[in-house]
Amino acid sequence: MPIVESPCVSICAMDAATGWCIGCGRTLAEIARWSETDQADRDAVMAELPARMERLEGRLR
């Protein structure tokens, strides 16, 4: 079974305003389907995460 790359950093808490995890930036739906989705979908989510994390950092300051 192949190992699926994950952005998880074991800081699992959801931001109520955005619906994103404050540790990795994913939504609950993205987290739930992560290991079952195809590489293209994971790549698309991964591409969005830096902007999400930047937005979260601004909110949490």
Side-chain angles (χ1 to χ4, degrees), residues 8-52:
C8 181
V9 294
S10 298
I11 301 172
C12 304
M14 302 309 287
D15 178 70
T18 62
W20 301 330
C21 173
I22 65 169
C24 69
R26 295 178 293 170
T27 65
L28 284 175
E30 290 165 344
I31 293 167
R33 72 172 188 259
W34 195 255
S35 63
E36 298 172 359
T37 193
D38 62 27
Q39 187 64 46
D41 186 39
R42 287 192 301 270
D43 289 345
V45 172
M46 291 290 283
E48 293 180 28
L49 296 182
R52 290 182 187 181

